[in-house]
C-alpha cells in the first residue's frame, strides 16, 4: 500500500498542525491506517490509528491533543495535532494494515515521512 505523508513543519509550543496521508489504491477503505512518529535515537511509535469502521486509538502521550480522521472518498487520513509540545518533535509517517497490525508497526516498507518540529 503506497501512502504519502505531508503537512509537517515548524510550529511553536502550543500551536497546531494538520498532517495528511494520501493513498494511491482503490481499496483504501478496506485498510486500517496508523500515524507513527520517530524521534532521533528513539523507536518508531504508534501515535494514532483508525480502523475501516472509524474506530480510533491513541498513544497515551497524545490523547486529548491529537485527532485522527479519514475520508475514504479522498483516500486520505488526517492527523489534527493541537497543543503541540517540544517532545512531539519527530518525523511522522503513516502506514496501512490490519487493525491488529497497527501497534506493532511491523510493515515491510515505509514512506518518506514528514518532519514536525515544535520549538520556540
Amino acid at each position: 500500500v503506497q501512502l504519502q505523508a505531508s503537512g509537517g513543519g515548524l510550529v511553536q509550543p502550543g500551536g497546531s498542525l494538520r498532517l495528511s496521508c494520501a493513498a494511491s489504491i482503490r481499496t483504501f477503505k478496506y485498510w486500517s491506517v496508523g500515524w507513527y512518529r520517530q524521534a532521533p535515537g528513539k523507536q518508531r511509535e504508534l501515535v494514532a490509528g483508525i480502523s475501516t469502521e472509524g474506530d480510533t486509538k491513541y498513544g497515551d502521550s497524545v490523547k486529548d491533543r491529537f485527532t485522527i480522521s479519514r475520508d475514504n472518498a479522498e483516500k486520505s487520513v488526517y492527523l489534527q495535532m493541537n497543543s503541540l509540545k517540544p517532545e512531539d518533535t519527530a518525523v511522522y509517517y503513516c502506514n496501512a494494515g490490519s487493525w491488529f497490525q497497527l501497534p506493532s508497526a511491523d510493515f515491510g516498507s515505509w514512506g518518506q515521512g514528514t518532519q514536525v518540529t515544535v520549538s520556540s
Side-chain angles (χ1 to χ4, degrees):
V1 180
Q2 293 290 332
L3 298 171
Q4 181 63 49
S6 62
L10 173 64
V11 62
Q12 292 187 341
S16 299
L17 277 176
R18 186 188 192 220
L19 305 184
S20 298
C21 174
S24 58
I25 56 170
R26 289 192 303 117
T27 58
F28 172 74
K29 65 180 180 180
Y30 299 120
W31 297 91
S32 295
V33 177
W35 277 102
Y36 301 82
R37 68 186 181 188
Q38 187 167 22
K42 295 188 177 181
Q43 285 191 330
R44 190 170 289 160
E45 63 174 348
L46 176 66
V47 174
I50 188 165
S51 74
T52 56
E53 301 299 320
D55 296 323
T56 59
K57 65 174 78 177
Y58 296 92
D60 289 341
S61 63
V62 306
K63 282 179 182 176
D64 301 323
R65 298 190 297 122
F66 290 10
T67 302
I68 189 171
S69 61
R70 69 187 296 159
D71 184 337
N72 288 334
E74 294 294 325
K75 294 188 286 187
S76 294
V77 171
Y78 306 99
L79 185 67
Q80 178 65 44
M81 306 187 295
N82 298 328
S83 302
L84 283 161
K85 304 175 181 180
E87 50 263 44
D88 294 318
T89 296
V91 179
Y92 284 69
Y93 304 85
C94 56
N95 220 323
S98 71
W99 180 243
F100 300 102
Q101 183 182 9
L102 296 186
S104 71
D106 184 17
F107 297 99
S109 63
W110 292 86
Q112 194 168 356
T114 186
Q115 175 71 46
V116 172
T117 302
V118 185
S119 175
S120 55

XYZ file of all heavy atoms in Angstrom, residues 8-100:
728
model
N 3.866 18.529 7.544
C 4.735 18.866 8.656
C 5.306 20.265 8.529
O 5.131 20.947 7.523
N 6.015 20.675 9.571
C 6.632 21.992 9.554
C 7.130 22.376 10.934
O 7.164 21.553 11.850
N 7.487 23.650 11.042
C 7.963 24.216 12.308
C 6.810 24.971 12.969
O 6.174 25.810 12.329
C 9.136 25.157 12.056
C 9.649 25.960 13.259
C 10.207 25.022 14.327
C 10.706 26.960 12.799
N 6.561 24.666 14.226
C 5.469 25.323 14.944
C 5.919 25.602 16.370
O 6.740 24.866 16.924
C 4.197 24.440 14.915
C 4.437 23.111 15.614
C 2.996 25.172 15.474
N 5.384 26.662 16.950
C 5.721 26.994 18.325
C 4.956 26.104 19.303
O 3.873 25.598 18.979
C 5.391 28.459 18.601
C 6.275 29.441 17.860
C 6.016 30.871 18.286
O 4.983 31.197 18.857
N 6.973 31.753 17.998
N 5.498 25.917 20.492
C 4.758 25.149 21.514
C 3.371 25.734 21.721
O 3.199 26.955 21.770
C 5.629 25.316 22.762
C 7.011 25.504 22.224
C 6.833 26.307 20.972
N 2.401 24.843 21.825
C 1.014 25.260 21.961
C 0.295 25.429 20.642
O -0.933 25.600 20.617
N 1.030 25.367 19.552
C 0.440 25.529 18.238
C -0.192 24.266 17.699
O -0.253 23.234 18.380
N -0.660 24.345 16.448
C -1.364 23.228 15.809
C -0.812 22.964 14.415
O -0.279 23.868 13.762
C -2.858 23.544 15.694
O -3.451 23.731 16.961
N -0.955 21.731 13.995
C -0.641 21.323 12.631
C -1.633 20.249 12.220
O -2.144 19.507 13.077
C 0.776 20.746 12.521
C 1.965 21.673 12.381
C 3.254 20.861 12.388
C 1.868 22.510 11.121
N -1.862 20.142 10.928
C -2.706 19.075 10.403
C -1.906 18.300 9.368
O -1.504 18.858 8.342
C -3.971 19.620 9.768
C -4.972 18.554 9.325
C -6.092 19.176 8.550
N -7.208 18.261 8.342
C -7.885 18.173 7.208
N -7.560 18.949 6.187
N -8.905 17.327 7.104
N -1.673 17.038 9.652
C -0.959 16.171 8.726
C -1.942 15.434 7.835
O -3.053 15.099 8.263
C -0.095 15.166 9.487
C 0.906 15.732 10.487
C 1.738 14.587 11.070
C 1.791 16.773 9.858
N -1.514 15.160 6.620
C -2.326 14.406 5.666
C -1.573 13.172 5.208
O -0.353 13.201 5.059
C -2.670 15.271 4.453
O -3.433 16.391 4.821
N -2.328 12.110 4.989
C -1.771 10.854 4.484
C -2.619 10.449 3.289
O -3.801 10.151 3.446
C -1.824 9.797 5.578
S -1.347 8.140 5.075
N -2.024 10.446 2.127
C -2.757 10.162 0.900
C -2.376 8.796 0.352
O -1.194 8.445 0.296
C -2.469 11.239 -0.136
N -3.386 8.028 -0.054
C -3.164 6.699 -0.612
C -3.429 6.717 -2.113
O -4.173 7.565 -2.615
C -4.071 5.682 0.070
N -2.826 5.752 -2.785
C -2.976 5.696 -4.241
C -3.565 4.373 -4.699
O -3.250 3.909 -5.791
C -1.623 5.930 -4.915
O -0.684 4.955 -4.468
N -4.405 3.762 -3.858
C -5.007 2.482 -4.213
C -6.523 2.584 -4.115
O -7.057 3.313 -3.276
C -4.510 1.341 -3.298
C -4.764 1.685 -1.825
C -3.060 1.042 -3.562
C -4.515 0.528 -0.901
N -7.222 1.819 -4.958
C -8.685 1.858 -4.958
C -9.284 1.239 -3.705
O -10.386 1.580 -3.311
C -9.230 1.168 -6.203
C -8.997 1.935 -7.493
C -9.808 1.341 -8.641
N -9.515 -0.065 -8.857
C -10.404 -1.034 -8.722
N -11.634 -0.751 -8.355
N -10.062 -2.279 -8.941
N -8.538 0.277 -3.096
C -9.074 -0.476 -1.959
C -8.760 0.177 -0.623
O -8.808 -0.463 0.418
C -8.501 -1.905 -1.955
O -7.074 -1.833 -1.896
C -8.938 -2.652 -3.192
N -8.455 1.468 -0.618
C -8.034 2.163 0.592
C -9.020 1.973 1.734
O -8.638 1.802 2.889
C -7.866 3.647 0.277
C -7.613 4.501 1.479
C -6.378 4.482 2.103
C -8.606 5.318 2.003
C -6.138 5.263 3.215
C -8.375 6.095 3.112
C -7.129 6.074 3.719
N -10.315 1.972 1.437
C -11.318 1.931 2.502
C -11.305 0.622 3.285
O -11.910 0.518 4.350
C -12.704 2.187 1.936
C -13.195 1.112 0.984
C -14.586 1.474 0.469
C -15.124 0.422 -0.488
N -16.479 0.786 -0.987
N -10.620 -0.392 2.781
C -10.558 -1.685 3.447
C -9.358 -1.815 4.389
O -9.135 -2.877 4.966
C -10.522 -2.804 2.418
C -11.746 -2.850 1.538
C -11.639 -2.703 0.154
C -13.012 -3.018 2.085
C -12.763 -2.726 -0.657
C -14.136 -3.042 1.292
C -14.009 -2.899 -0.083
O -15.114 -2.914 -0.875
N -8.578 -0.757 4.516
C -7.376 -0.790 5.338
C -7.519 0.091 6.571
O -8.032 1.205 6.482
C -6.162 -0.309 4.529
C -5.829 -1.158 3.362
C -6.281 -1.026 2.085
C -4.954 -2.291 3.361
N -5.739 -1.997 1.293
C -4.922 -2.792 2.040
C -4.193 -2.925 4.345
C -4.165 -3.900 1.680
C -3.430 -4.025 3.981
C -3.421 -4.507 2.674
N -7.026 -0.405 7.697
C -6.828 0.467 8.850
C -5.534 1.255 8.614
O -4.625 0.774 7.932
C -6.704 -0.355 10.135
O -7.901 -1.029 10.408
N -5.462 2.439 9.180
C -4.303 3.296 8.951
C -3.782 3.823 10.276
O -4.561 4.186 11.163
C -4.662 4.476 8.027
C -3.470 5.404 7.849
C -5.136 3.963 6.674
N -2.481 3.847 10.392
C -1.860 4.382 11.600
C -0.924 5.533 11.281
O -0.288 5.557 10.223
N -0.882 6.490 12.187
C 0.142 7.527 12.170
C 1.210 7.140 13.189
O 0.880 6.773 14.323
C -0.438 8.891 12.544
C -1.087 9.613 11.410
C -2.422 9.731 11.152
C -0.415 10.329 10.368
N -2.625 10.475 10.023
C -1.395 10.855 9.518
C 0.928 10.586 10.078
C -1.095 11.626 8.387
C 1.223 11.335 8.962
C 0.223 11.841 8.138
N 2.454 7.250 12.788
C 3.587 6.889 13.626
C 4.556 8.053 13.668
O 4.529 8.927 12.806
C 4.298 5.658 13.059
C 3.414 4.452 12.946
C 2.560 4.290 11.861
C 3.420 3.469 13.934
C 1.719 3.189 11.765
C 2.593 2.362 13.844
C 1.756 2.230 12.761
O 0.941 1.130 12.674
N 5.422 8.036 14.652
C 6.476 9.035 14.688
C 7.761 8.411 15.217
O 7.731 7.425 15.966
C 6.083 10.230 15.546
C 5.951 9.959 17.036
C 5.420 11.187 17.747
N 5.294 10.983 19.196
C 4.705 11.843 20.012
N 4.180 12.974 19.525
N 4.635 11.590 21.303
N 8.854 8.998 14.783
C 10.158 8.534 15.239
C 11.039 9.746 15.497
O 11.328 10.515 14.578
C 10.818 7.609 14.220
C 12.090 6.974 14.730
C 12.562 5.837 13.857
O 12.218 5.741 12.681
N 13.352 4.930 14.434
N 11.435 9.895 16.744
C 12.347 10.957 17.130
C 13.771 10.417 17.092
O 13.978 9.198 17.188
C 12.000 11.459 18.529
N 14.766 11.272 16.943
C 16.157 10.815 16.898
C 16.514 9.974 18.117
O 16.253 10.364 19.251
C 16.948 12.118 16.875
C 16.022 13.107 16.259
C 14.657 12.728 16.747
N 17.085 8.803 17.853
C 17.505 7.930 18.931
C 16.403 7.142 19.598
O 16.651 6.417 20.568
N 15.189 7.249 19.074
C 14.059 6.531 19.667
C 13.422 5.611 18.654
O 13.591 5.769 17.449
C 13.018 7.522 20.199
C 13.515 8.369 21.362
C 12.382 9.183 21.950
C 12.850 9.968 23.166
N 11.738 10.752 23.776
N 12.675 4.646 19.176
C 11.970 3.720 18.291
C 10.736 4.394 17.704
O 10.167 5.325 18.286
C 11.545 2.476 19.078
C 12.682 1.516 19.379
C 12.177 0.188 19.905
O 11.132 0.113 20.558
N 12.901 -0.875 19.626
N 10.325 3.903 16.571
C 9.096 4.378 15.953
C 7.921 3.937 16.824
O 7.874 2.802 17.280
C 8.972 3.809 14.552
C 7.866 4.410 13.712
C 8.000 3.939 12.277
N 9.146 4.539 11.620
C 9.716 4.044 10.529
N 9.258 2.936 10.000
N 10.743 4.655 9.987
N 6.993 4.842 17.048
C 5.852 4.528 17.901
C 4.544 4.904 17.220
O 4.480 5.841 16.418
C 5.948 5.280 19.242
C 5.911 6.789 19.126
C 5.858 7.493 20.465
O 5.620 6.832 21.495
O 6.043 8.727 20.492
N 3.503 4.160 17.590
C 2.166 4.450 17.079
C 1.615 5.670 17.804
O 1.541 5.688 19.026
C 1.246 3.249 17.287
C -0.211 3.448 16.880
C -0.348 3.634 15.374
C -1.053 2.247 17.329
N 1.210 6.671 17.036
C 0.622 7.880 17.600
C -0.895 7.758 17.635
O -1.530 8.042 18.643
C 1.036 9.110 16.773
C 0.308 10.359 17.255
C 2.545 9.310 16.829
N -1.455 7.323 16.510
C -2.906 7.190 16.412
C -3.238 6.215 15.293
O -2.483 6.104 14.329
C -3.567 8.540 16.134
N -4.357 5.520 15.446
C -4.802 4.602 14.414
C -6.293 4.724 14.207
O -7.031 5.113 15.114
N -6.733 4.402 12.989
C -8.148 4.447 12.681
C -8.497 3.213 11.865
O -7.780 2.838 10.936
C -8.529 5.755 11.952
C -10.046 5.872 11.808
C -7.816 5.886 10.604
C -10.517 7.276 11.444
N -9.586 2.559 12.247
C -9.996 1.330 11.583
C -10.840 1.638 10.350
O -11.189 2.791 10.079
C -10.797 0.462 12.548
O -12.100 1.003 12.741
N -11.200 0.589 9.624
C -12.061 0.754 8.459
C -13.442 1.271 8.860
O -14.119 1.908 8.064
C -12.217 -0.574 7.717
O -12.718 -1.564 8.642
C -10.874 -1.049 7.167
N -13.844 1.005 10.107
C -15.159 1.441 10.591
C -15.108 2.777 11.305
O -16.138 3.267 11.777
C -15.720 0.378 11.546
C -15.883 -0.998 10.914
C -16.843 -0.979 9.758
O -17.873 -0.288 9.840
O -16.575 -1.664 8.746
N -13.919 3.345 11.437
C -13.793 4.638 12.094
C -13.432 4.562 13.564
O -13.371 5.604 14.235
N -13.214 3.353 14.096
C -12.730 3.248 15.474
C -11.326 3.837 15.543
O -10.546 3.720 14.601
C -12.701 1.793 15.915
C -14.082 1.180 15.950
O -15.033 1.877 16.328
O -14.210 -0.005 15.575
N -11.015 4.440 16.675
C -9.724 5.096 16.813
C -8.992 4.651 18.074
O -9.607 4.182 19.037
C -9.883 6.624 16.862
O -10.725 6.977 17.966
C -10.485 7.157 15.575
N -7.691 4.774 18.034
C -6.862 4.540 19.210
C -5.737 5.558 19.190
O -5.313 6.020 18.126
C -6.306 3.126 19.241
C -5.332 2.778 18.137
C -4.724 1.388 18.339
C -5.672 0.311 17.939
N -5.072 -1.063 18.049
N -5.262 5.936 20.388
C -4.231 6.954 20.517
C -3.158 6.529 21.504
O -3.427 5.813 22.478
C -4.840 8.274 21.004
C -5.816 8.887 20.042
C -7.185 8.612 20.134
C -5.388 9.718 19.024
C -8.087 9.153 19.236
C -6.278 10.273 18.121
C -7.623 9.983 18.236
O -8.510 10.524 17.335
N -1.926 6.987 21.255
C -0.881 6.818 22.236
C -1.182 7.661 23.466
O -1.805 8.723 23.354
N -0.727 7.223 24.608
C -1.032 7.921 25.861
C -0.548 9.368 25.842
O -1.196 10.252 26.410
C -0.398 7.181 27.040
C -1.084 5.866 27.341
O -2.248 5.690 26.904
O -0.466 5.012 27.995
N 0.565 9.620 25.186
C 1.152 10.963 25.225
C 0.404 11.970 24.353
O 0.648 13.175 24.470
C 2.620 10.899 24.798
O 2.721 10.447 23.459
N -0.489 11.511 23.497
C -1.178 12.436 22.590
C -2.685 12.461 22.793
O -3.389 13.236 22.131
C -0.879 12.112 21.108
C 0.627 12.063 20.870
C -1.547 10.825 20.666
N -3.183 11.616 23.687
C -4.630 11.604 23.947
C -5.101 12.995 24.346
O -4.430 13.705 25.082
C -4.949 10.603 25.059
C -4.944 9.161 24.608
C -5.250 8.220 25.765
C -5.202 6.778 25.315
N -5.402 5.830 26.435
N -6.260 13.363 23.851
C -6.900 14.660 24.129
C -6.223 15.823 23.430
O -6.653 16.968 23.577
C -6.958 14.944 25.639
C -7.730 13.883 26.400
O -8.738 13.387 25.859
O -7.315 13.537 27.517
N -5.152 15.570 22.663
C -4.496 16.633 21.897
C -4.547 16.380 20.401
O -4.645 17.314 19.608
C -3.034 16.781 22.331
C -2.847 17.183 23.789
C -1.397 17.538 24.078
N -0.490 16.417 23.879
C 0.550 16.449 23.036
N 0.813 17.533 22.333
N 1.338 15.393 22.923
N -4.458 15.101 20.011
C -4.442 14.743 18.595
C -5.754 14.071 18.223
O -6.348 13.348 19.044
C -3.301 13.771 18.302
C -1.919 14.349 18.393
C -1.680 15.613 18.916
C -0.838 13.603 17.933
C -0.403 16.130 18.996
C 0.456 14.110 18.001
C 0.664 15.375 18.546
N -6.171 14.264 16.976
C -7.382 13.618 16.463
C -7.102 13.047 15.091
O -6.635 13.764 14.202
C -8.542 14.609 16.381
O -8.797 15.179 17.668
C -9.817 13.908 15.900
N -7.396 11.761 14.921
C -7.223 11.112 13.628
C -8.589 10.992 12.963
O -9.608 10.757 13.630
C -6.557 9.729 13.785
C -6.183 9.143 12.428
C -7.430 8.770 14.585
C -5.318 7.876 12.513
N -8.610 11.160 11.648
C -9.854 11.029 10.901
C -9.524 10.508 9.503
O -8.362 10.537 9.083
C -10.584 12.370 10.809
O -9.794 13.327 10.138
N -10.554 10.043 8.810
C -10.315 9.541 7.456
C -11.432 9.986 6.535
O -12.573 10.176 6.962
C -10.168 8.015 7.450
C -11.416 7.226 7.752
C -11.071 5.728 7.883
N -10.566 5.180 6.644
C -9.832 4.052 6.567
N -9.544 3.375 7.677
N -9.410 3.605 5.396
N -11.084 10.103 5.271
C -12.027 10.444 4.211
C -11.792 9.429 3.102
O -10.864 9.573 2.301
C -11.799 11.871 3.719
C -12.813 12.307 2.692
O -13.414 11.443 2.027
O -13.015 13.515 2.533
N -12.625 8.394 3.065
C -12.408 7.323 2.078
C -12.601 7.815 0.648
O -11.950 7.308 -0.273
C -13.333 6.149 2.372
C -12.917 5.390 3.620
O -11.758 5.389 4.022
N -13.887 4.744 4.258
N -13.473 8.771 0.452
C -13.675 9.301 -0.893
C -12.403 9.980 -1.412
O -12.097 9.915 -2.605
C -14.837 10.286 -0.905
N -11.679 10.624 -0.500
C -10.428 11.272 -0.870
C -9.227 10.343 -0.701
O -8.097 10.739 -0.978
C -10.217 12.526 -0.007
C -11.237 13.622 -0.260
C -11.115 14.199 -1.656
O -9.987 14.298 -2.186
O -12.167 14.540 -2.238
N -9.494 9.120 -0.207
C -8.422 8.155 0.061
C -7.335 8.785 0.935
O -6.138 8.708 0.636
C -7.843 7.593 -1.247
C -8.854 6.742 -2.016
C -8.226 6.031 -3.196
C -7.933 6.959 -4.327
N -7.470 6.276 -5.534
N -7.787 9.414 1.996
C -6.853 10.140 2.867
C -7.175 9.931 4.336
O -8.332 9.693 4.695
C -6.893 11.646 2.560
O -6.412 11.919 1.270
N -6.149 10.043 5.141
C -6.282 10.046 6.594
C -5.569 11.284 7.113
O -4.504 11.653 6.603
C -5.679 8.769 7.213
C -5.611 8.875 8.737
C -6.514 7.555 6.826
N -6.149 11.910 8.123
C -5.614 13.160 8.646
C -5.270 13.012 10.128
O -5.875 12.211 10.843
C -6.641 14.276 8.465
C -7.118 14.408 7.046
C -8.330 13.854 6.647
C -6.340 15.051 6.093
C -8.769 13.946 5.342
C -6.770 15.149 4.775
C -7.980 14.589 4.409
O -8.399 14.682 3.105
N -4.310 13.812 10.548
C -3.968 13.867 11.965
C -3.944 15.337 12.382
O -3.044 16.080 11.985
C -2.609 13.221 12.236
C -2.220 13.116 13.715
C -3.146 12.123 14.440
C -0.763 12.687 13.869
N -4.954 15.739 13.126
C -5.009 17.093 13.657
C -4.267 17.104 14.980
O -4.638 16.381 15.911
C -6.460 17.526 13.872
C -6.619 18.909 14.468
C -6.114 20.005 13.545
O -6.376 19.987 12.349
N -5.379 20.967 14.106
N -3.231 17.919 15.055
C -2.391 17.973 16.247
C -2.524 19.346 16.895
O -2.169 20.349 16.265
C -0.929 17.694 15.873
C -0.740 16.398 15.109
S 0.993 15.990 14.856
C 1.496 17.341 13.796
N -3.038 19.371 18.098
C -3.206 20.608 18.845
C -2.332 20.597 20.094
O -1.852 19.543 20.511
C -4.681 20.788 19.242
C -5.609 20.890 18.055
O -5.241 21.397 16.991
N -6.828 20.396 18.219
N -2.159 21.764 20.676
C -1.379 21.905 21.919
C -0.036 21.195 21.802
O 0.364 20.423 22.685
C -2.177 21.333 23.106
O -3.414 21.989 23.240
N 0.647 21.450 20.713
C 1.906 20.752 20.449
C 2.974 21.103 21.466
O 3.046 22.238 21.965
C 2.388 21.063 19.033
C 1.636 20.288 17.935
C 1.824 20.956 16.584
C 2.092 18.847 17.893
N 3.790 20.098 21.764
C 4.863 20.224 22.745
C 6.202 19.923 22.073
O 6.242 19.203 21.065
C 4.643 19.236 23.885
C 3.303 19.348 24.585
C 3.135 18.237 25.610
C 1.787 18.321 26.316
N 1.621 17.245 27.314
N 7.284 20.420 22.622
C 8.598 20.104 22.034
C 8.841 18.595 21.910
O 9.491 18.159 20.946
C 9.570 20.752 23.015
C 8.817 21.908 23.577
C 7.400 21.410 23.700
N 8.320 17.824 22.827
C 8.512 16.368 22.761
C 7.722 15.700 21.635
O 7.879 14.498 21.403
C 8.174 15.705 24.101
C 6.844 16.101 24.679
C 6.952 17.212 25.710
O 7.698 18.197 25.457
O 6.283 17.120 26.762
N 6.876 16.453 20.949
C 6.189 15.926 19.772
C 7.070 16.011 18.530
O 6.692 15.511 17.464
C 4.888 16.699 19.510
C 3.862 16.506 20.613
O 3.700 15.366 21.079
O 3.222 17.510 20.995
N 8.221 16.630 18.657
C 9.134 16.753 17.526
C 9.597 15.378 17.065
O 10.118 14.587 17.854
C 10.349 17.608 17.921
O 9.908 18.938 18.210
C 11.376 17.640 16.800
N 9.399 15.100 15.779
C 9.737 13.793 15.216
C 9.428 13.808 13.725
O 8.805 14.750 13.221
C 8.926 12.686 15.891
N 9.849 12.754 13.050
C 9.366 12.503 11.698
C 8.103 11.655 11.822
O 8.112 10.633 12.517
C 10.416 11.780 10.837
C 9.852 11.517 9.435
C 11.690 12.595 10.748
N 7.051 12.107 11.175
C 5.761 11.422 11.240
C 5.526 10.644 9.949
O 5.736 11.163 8.841
C 4.637 12.426 11.466
C 4.577 12.925 12.891
C 5.571 13.754 13.398
C 3.538 12.553 13.748
C 5.538 14.198 14.721
C 3.486 12.999 15.064
C 4.498 13.813 15.541
O 4.462 14.244 16.850
N 5.080 9.419 10.117
C 4.814 8.521 8.998
C 3.383 7.993 9.102
O 2.799 7.947 10.189
C 5.743 7.304 9.044
C 7.214 7.596 9.067
C 7.881 7.870 10.257
C 7.964 7.560 7.884
C 9.239 8.120 10.277
C 9.326 7.803 7.898
C 9.959 8.074 9.102
O 11.313 8.317 9.114
N 2.871 7.536 7.984
C 1.615 6.802 8.009
C 1.821 5.476 7.293
O 2.706 5.343 6.442
C 0.477 7.592 7.375
S 0.754 8.136 5.679
N 1.015 4.507 7.694
C 1.077 3.201 7.066
C -0.269 2.516 7.244
O -1.077 2.900 8.110
C 2.204 2.356 7.669
C 2.932 1.547 6.603
O 2.300 1.063 5.674
N 4.232 1.414 6.734
N -0.519 1.503 6.435
C -1.822 0.841 6.435
C -1.668 -0.652 6.617
O -0.704 -1.255 6.128
C -2.552 1.138 5.131
N -2.616 -1.241 7.312
C -2.603 -2.670 7.537
C -3.871 -3.095 8.233
O -4.887 -2.384 8.165
N -3.828 -4.228 8.913
C -4.984 -4.647 9.691
C -5.006 -3.872 11.007
O -3.982 -3.339 11.453
C -4.931 -6.153 9.979
O -3.904 -6.432 10.925
N -6.157 -3.808 11.634
C -6.300 -3.091 12.896
C -5.338 -3.642 13.953
O -4.747 -2.881 14.720
C -7.743 -3.225 13.358
C -8.088 -2.557 14.650
C -8.506 -3.158 15.796
C -8.076 -1.143 14.924
N -8.743 -2.203 16.765
C -8.492 -0.983 16.261
C -7.736 -0.028 14.173
C -8.608 0.288 16.850
C -7.835 1.226 14.770
C -8.270 1.381 16.083
N -5.169 -4.956 13.968
C -4.319 -5.585 14.972
C -2.832 -5.456 14.643
O -1.979 -5.682 15.486
C -4.722 -7.051 15.135
C -6.145 -7.210 15.570
C -7.132 -7.564 14.659
C -6.515 -6.960 16.875
C -8.464 -7.678 15.062
C -7.832 -7.075 17.291
C -8.800 -7.430 16.379
